[in-house]
């Protein structure tokens, strides 16, 4: 058995009894294809990996085998990675054509990969894995590629419950799950993992005859604001930032039209997926969707959250007092009270003489849509026993979200240095990818893949990415 | 066939390859200890590759996955004068201090050589072959294919693991369809 000190010296060029420490300091690069890992050499076209990536994916013994024989065999058996890809694709109910097109390849290539008779491009295989929520770092190596088996079950359960998810929706949610779990892994690598959301104790309190559900939602909103140190009159400048501070992954993605948002359990993490199209293209409406999902995520019992929770637009865009599903009613009440505390809304509205200005004032101050503001002002007054002199449905004002709200909530949705990066991979995910790459935790090859780009484009835009993602100088 | 003597017919099969791909020094970065440079070609476990059927062989098969080396793995090297091959993990291999198994440089004594790799025998005239060598790897797809062509010319049915452009080097894992 070769000594660890000897192996780290041979492989990483650094003598250390701690392989991870040696790898993190090493500038040696590796490259992998479907079946092997090797030291990088000029002309290799596979996935280039940093020493740390290679160590984490394959282990010291395998890297020593690469040192010894020129390449190490990493595939667990001849059926991999094709079997894992086929298994997960079928579990998600996707046909080859749909998956292949989404991943930018052809059904014929996908079929070859799944059959396992030939060696195919690792780049294509990884792209497929990204759309199937597989762990791309364990492709070929681990049977099943650490698939989140519950994801497929939950997507099927949701579909069989009467609200069928289209294949496009399944694909979008599956890819969003991959984004969330990858971001969680990168956050751990960066030492930025924060699971503050776990400090909230779920409750199955949905009210009763004496205490209506909306009141429970209001109370939970107040408790959440208090827990986060928000004063009653404070607006929430960016729900996107706030969710990040709680350690919740937020994936903003172009989903099929009917879906507003979803909470997804990924490994032991929770993620919120929110549609950026349809009604949610208005950042005020999108904020409310995120706040609604946050209400589920923080306060719904775990067993309920272990199932995929998808919310259609119709379920969210309602006066919560009319919602018959008590869990949804609580989440709706939570969302509006979280963004716009009722007493503050009453105070603010009453400070305006003109109801039109008052309506717009509430919208602008708290970043909520006109529809939401109308319902909320009316409900807040009624619930507090304060008379409201106006029928707000007859009061009209500009409904467009103001620019500063759009800037805070959209961040990189509107403009991103790499045009090919889908919206699902912009924002905080992209920030972690770029930060991990500039710290040598992942290669530029990996980073480019994660941002759905190529190495040249990524490297040409690295500075712009650091700037637009507000990463600050290294060492900060 | 004793290792110091190459069958004339085998020399003929390898002539084109040797002319096109020069011998070179081993990759010194891959040598772990002095005993890996000990020339063991006088040992009866080492034979000179000859035209089929092989004189010295053991039935084996390459690994099906990441664990182990399969059964009956041989190392081979093409030198200027002969193509020695021997079991990596036989008694001879076990005698290599520190490493505990044969190295390609044991078949050359650390001298220049053209190319090396791994070999398994399905039968006396049917082999699996790779360019898996840290010390004398084939330098290109064309060189590996030239080696395979030479071994086929020697009358063997050869399954090659082939070359991986994504690795920029020889593959070591066998898939049904060659890359």
């Amino acid at each position: 058995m070769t000594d660890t000190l000897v192996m780290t010296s041979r492989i990483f060029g650094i003598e250390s009894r701690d392989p991870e420490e040696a790898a993190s300091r090493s500038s040696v690069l590796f490259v992998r294809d479907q079946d092997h890992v090797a030291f990088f050499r000029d002309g290799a076209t596979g996935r280039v990996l940093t020493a740390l990536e290679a160590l984490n994916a394959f282990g010291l013994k395998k890297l020593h085998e690469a040192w010894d024989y020129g390449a190490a065999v990493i595939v667990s058996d001849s059926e991999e990675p094709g079997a894992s890809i086929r298994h997960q694709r079928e579990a998600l109910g996707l046909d080859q054509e749909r998956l292949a097109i989404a991943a930018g390849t052809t059904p014929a290539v996908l079929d070859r990969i799944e059959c396992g008779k030939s060696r195919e491009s690792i780049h294509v295989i990884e792209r497929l894995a990204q759309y199937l929520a597989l762990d791309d770092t364990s492709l070929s190596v681990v049977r099943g590629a650490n698939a989140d088996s519950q994801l497929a079950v939950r997507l099927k359960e949701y579909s069989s419950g009467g609200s069928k998810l289209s294949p496009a929706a399944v694909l979008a949610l599956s890819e969003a799950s991959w984004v969330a779990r990858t971001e969680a892994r990168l956050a751990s690598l960066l030492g930025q993992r924060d699971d503050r959301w776990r400090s909230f104790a779920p409750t199955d309190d949905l009210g009763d005859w004496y205490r209506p559900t909306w009141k429970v939602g209001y109370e939970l909103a107040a408790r959440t604001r208090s827990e986060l140190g928000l004063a009653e009159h404070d607006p929430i400048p960016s729900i996107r930032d706030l969710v990040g501070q709680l350690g919740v992954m937020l994936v903003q993605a172009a989903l099929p039209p009917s879906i507003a948002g979803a909470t997804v359990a990924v490994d032991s993490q929770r993620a919120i997926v929110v549609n950026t199209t349809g009604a949610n293209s208005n950042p005020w409406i999108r904020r409310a969707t995120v706040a609604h999902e946050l209400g589920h995520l923080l306060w719904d019992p775990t067993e309920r959250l272990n199932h995929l929770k998808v919310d259609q637009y119709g379920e969210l865009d309602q006066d919560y007092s009319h919602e018959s599903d008590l869990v949804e009613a609580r989440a709706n009440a939570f969302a509006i009270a979280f963004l716009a505390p009722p007493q503050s809304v009453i105070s603010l509205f009453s400070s305006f003489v003109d109801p039109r200005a008052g309506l717009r004032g509430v919208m602008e101050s708290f970043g909520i849509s006109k529809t939401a503001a109308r319902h909320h002002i009316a409900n807040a007054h009624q619930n507090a026993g304060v008379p409201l002199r106006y029928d707000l449905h007859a009061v009209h004002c500009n409904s467009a979200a103001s620019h500063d709200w759009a800037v805070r909530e959209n961040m990189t949705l509107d403009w991103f240095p790499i045009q090919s990066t889908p919206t699902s991979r912009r924002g905080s995910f992209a920030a972690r990818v770029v930060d991990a790459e500039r710290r040598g935790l992942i290669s530029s090859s990996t980073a480019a893949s994660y941002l759905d780009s190529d190495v040249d484009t990524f490297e040409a835009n690295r500075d712009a990415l650091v700037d637009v993602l507000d990463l600050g100088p290294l060492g900060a | 066939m004793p290792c110091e003597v190459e069958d004339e017919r085998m020399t003929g099969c390898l002539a084109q390859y040797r002319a096109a791909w020069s011998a070179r020094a081993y990759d010194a970065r891959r040598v772990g200890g002095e005993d890996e440079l000990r020339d063991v070609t006088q040992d009866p476990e080492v034979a000179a590759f000859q035209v089929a059927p092989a004189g010295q062989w053991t039935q084996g098969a390459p690994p099906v996955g990441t664990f182990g080396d399969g059964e009956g793995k041989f190392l081979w090297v093409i030198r200027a004068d002969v193509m020695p091959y021997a079991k990596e993990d036989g008694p001879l291999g076990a005698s290599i201090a520190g490493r505990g198994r044969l190295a390609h440089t044991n078949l050359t004594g650390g001298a220049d050589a053209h190319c090396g790799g791994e070999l398994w025998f399905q039968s006396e005239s049917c082999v699996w072959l790779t360019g898996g060598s840290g010390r004398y790897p084939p330098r290109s797809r064309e060189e590996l294919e030239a080696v395979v062509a030479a071994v086929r010319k020697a009358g063997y049915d050869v399954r090659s693991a082939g070359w991986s452009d994504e690795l920029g080097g020889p593959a070591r894992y066998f898939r049904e369809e060659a890359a």
Side-chain angles (χ1 to χ4, degrees):
Chain A
M1 179 87 74
T2 312
D3 182 63
T4 301
L5 212 58
V6 170
M7 284 202 280
T8 54
S9 176
R10 287 175 179 175
I11 296 165
F12 303 125
I14 293 168
E15 220 174 59
S16 172
R17 294 227 172 267
D18 182 347
E20 203 166 308
E21 186 265 337
S24 63
R25 287 198 288 134
S26 176
S27 58
V28 172
L29 293 176
F30 294 82
V31 64
R32 71 156 293 180
D33 69 2
Q34 177 181 310
D35 298 327
H36 314 83
V37 63
F39 283 77
F40 177 77
R41 59 201 101 179
D42 283 342
T45 60
R47 166 69 61 233
V48 179
L49 302 168
T50 62
L52 188 62
E53 279 182 291
L55 176 69
N56 286 339
F58 311 117
L60 196 65
K61 274 184 69 175
K62 273 294 157 186
L63 297 186
H64 194 254
E65 179 184 326
W67 175 91
D68 207 355
Y69 293 100
V73 175
I74 57 170
V75 62
S76 59
D77 63 66
S78 61
E79 291 189 347
E80 291 299 329
S84 297
I85 287 172
R86 183 181 62 250
H87 180 83
Q88 185 72 345
R89 177 180 63 75
E90 290 176 348
L92 291 171
L94 298 168
D95 60 44
Q96 283 186 331
E97 184 171 359
R98 182 172 293 275
L99 174 61
I101 290 169
T105 187
T106 67
V109 169
L110 173 55
D111 193 56
R112 283 206 305 273
I113 290 169
E114 291 184 353
C115 284
K117 290 184 179 175
S118 56
R119 189 171 303 119
E120 301 295 328
S121 168
I122 187 61
H123 301 287
V124 174
I125 292 168
E126 285 179 345
R127 282 182 62 85
L128 292 164
Q130 289 167 8
Y131 281 92
L132 296 172
L134 295 175
D135 177 8
D136 52 285
T137 65
S138 60
L139 279 171
S140 302
V141 181
V142 176
R143 268 218 148 217
N146 286 324
D148 180 358
S149 57
Q150 287 304 305
L151 175 67
V153 171
R154 284 181 246 119
L155 284 168
K156 270 204 177 128
E157 279 178 356
Y158 183 85
S159 284
S160 64
S163 305
K164 190 154 177 56
L165 284 174
S166 66
V170 168
L171 206 46
L173 289 169
S174 178
E175 195 245 357
S177 294
W178 173 84
V179 171
R181 79 186 297 194
T182 303
E183 185 178 346
R185 179 169 57 80
L186 293 174
S188 283
L189 273 181
L190 287 162
Q192 293 171 357
R193 191 79 159 244
D194 185 354
D195 290 346
R196 200 170 164 194
W197 60 272
R198 293 185 197 275
S199 66
F200 290 78
T203 173
D204 54 11
D205 180 6
L206 296 173
D208 50 38
W209 279 110
Y210 306 101
R211 200 164 136 267
T213 306
W214 63 261
K215 199 161 187 186
V216 178
Y218 276 21
E219 288 168 4
L220 292 178
R223 274 169 64 183
T224 307
R225 288 180 65 94
S226 170
E227 205 38 61
L228 295 171
L230 292 166
E232 198 183 325
H233 298 286
D234 286 345
I236 295 173
S238 169
I239 191 87
R240 186 179 48 76
D241 277 347
L242 185 141
V243 161
Q245 286 162 28
L246 285 167
V248 175
M249 308 299 145
L250 174 63
V251 182
Q252 304 195 73
L255 301 176
S258 62
I259 297 177
T263 45
V264 181
V266 185
D267 300 331
S268 61
Q269 294 298 310
R270 296 278 186 259
I272 292 173
V273 184
V274 65
N275 200 346
T276 55
T277 65
N280 278 352
S281 56
N282 179 331
W284 283 345
I285 296 177
R286 198 163 67 247
R287 279 164 57 80
T289 302
V290 175
H292 176 98
E293 301 304 338
L294 192 63
H296 283 309
L297 191 149
L298 294 179
W299 297 109
D300 281 6
T302 309
E303 59 272 15
R304 191 185 153 85
L305 276 178
N306 279 341
H307 302 275
L308 175 76
K309 181 80 191 68
V310 178
D311 289 304
Q312 313 277 348
Y313 271 118
E315 292 167 347
L316 269 64
D317 192 24
Q318 281 187 22
D319 181 352
Y320 59 73
S321 60
H322 298 152
E323 176 58 67
S324 57
D325 180 328
L326 297 183
V327 174
E328 292 307 313
R330 189 178 84 174
N332 278 340
F334 170 91
I336 196 61
F338 184 64
L339 292 174
Q343 281 302 323
S344 302
V345 166
I346 293 171
S347 300
L348 179 63
F349 185 76
S350 66
S351 70
F352 288 88
V353 172
D354 178 358
R356 229 179 350 194
L359 178 62
R360 183 70 191 177
V362 168
M363 292 162 64
E364 287 269 8
S365 290
F366 295 106
I368 61 177
S369 70
K370 185 165 68 178
T371 305
R374 277 180 175 151
H375 288 316
H376 193 38
I377 293 167
N379 287 334
H381 279 77
Q382 181 181 339
N383 296 335
V386 176
L388 180 64
R389 286 187 290 135
Y390 308 102
D391 174 8
L392 289 173
H393 288 90
V395 175
H396 300 282
C397 68
N398 178 13
S399 60
S402 54
H403 181 69
D404 52 344
W405 281 106
V407 166
R408 284 197 297 273
E409 293 296 3
N410 286 357
M411 198 195 177
T412 49
L413 286 183
D414 296 329
W415 183 83
F416 193 73
I418 302 176
Q419 289 301 296
S420 60
T421 304
T423 52
S424 57
R425 302 189 192 192
R426 300 183 181 185
S428 60
F429 175 78
R432 290 201 157 120
V433 169
V434 175
D435 205 15
E437 191 271 340
R438 68 180 187 155
R439 294 176 191 280
L441 301 173
I442 63 174
S443 66
S444 56
S445 176
T446 299
S449 168
Y450 285 177
L451 297 183
D452 203 4
S453 183
D454 58 85
V455 173
D456 289 340
T457 303
F458 173 80
E459 289 180 348
N461 286 282
R462 188 190 279 111
D463 289 346
L465 286 163
V466 169
D467 188 45
V468 82
L469 293 166
D470 217 10
L471 290 175
L474 263 178
Chain B
M1 175 146 303
C3 189
E4 64 270 16
V5 177
E6 181 165 82
D7 179 281
E8 269 187 22
R9 292 171 300 163
M10 192 65 211
T11 303
C13 295
L14 289 170
Q16 195 172 352
Y17 165 75
R18 282 177 172 135
W21 302 96
S22 58
R24 32 63 197 250
Y26 64 89
D27 187 343
R29 297 171 301 176
R30 301 291 184 250
V31 173
E34 269 190 35
D35 210 34
E36 294 176 26
L37 299 175
R38 175 162 59 92
D39 188 336
V40 301
T41 48
Q42 296 306 303
D43 191 286
E45 273 194 52
V46 184
F49 205 79
Q50 63 185 44
V51 293
Q56 203 160 298
W57 64 283
T58 309
Q59 190 174 43
V64 295
T66 191
F67 302 109
D69 295 309
E71 293 289 327
K73 184 168 97 165
F74 290 79
L75 301 186
W76 60 268
V77 174
I78 298 175
R79 291 173 7 184
D81 55 343
V82 70
M83 180 178 167
Y85 68 106
K87 267 196 178 168
E88 184 182 41
D89 281 311
L92 177 60
S95 76
I96 306 301
R99 186 179 171 81
R101 56 197 153 85
L102 208 65
H104 287 97
T105 37
N106 289 123
L107 301 177
T108 65
D112 290 0
H114 296 267
C115 185
E118 302 162 299
L119 192 71
W120 295 261
F121 288 91
Q122 185 177 14
S123 72
E124 58 189 3
S125 56
C126 181
V127 298
W128 287 277
L129 182 145
T130 83
S133 169
R135 292 153 183 80
Y136 302 102
R139 288 154 278 197
S140 66
R141 175 190 291 273
E142 291 72 27
E143 179 175 6
L144 178 61
E145 287 173 353
V147 169
V148 171
V151 176
R152 282 189 177 133
K153 198 171 174 184
Y156 291 87
D157 184 6
V158 181
R159 276 205 60 205
S160 168
W163 185 269
S164 167
D165 287 331
E166 289 194 328
L167 285 186
R172 294 180 62 222
Y173 188 70
F174 292 85
R175 294 267 171 191
E176 268 186 57
E177 292 169 13

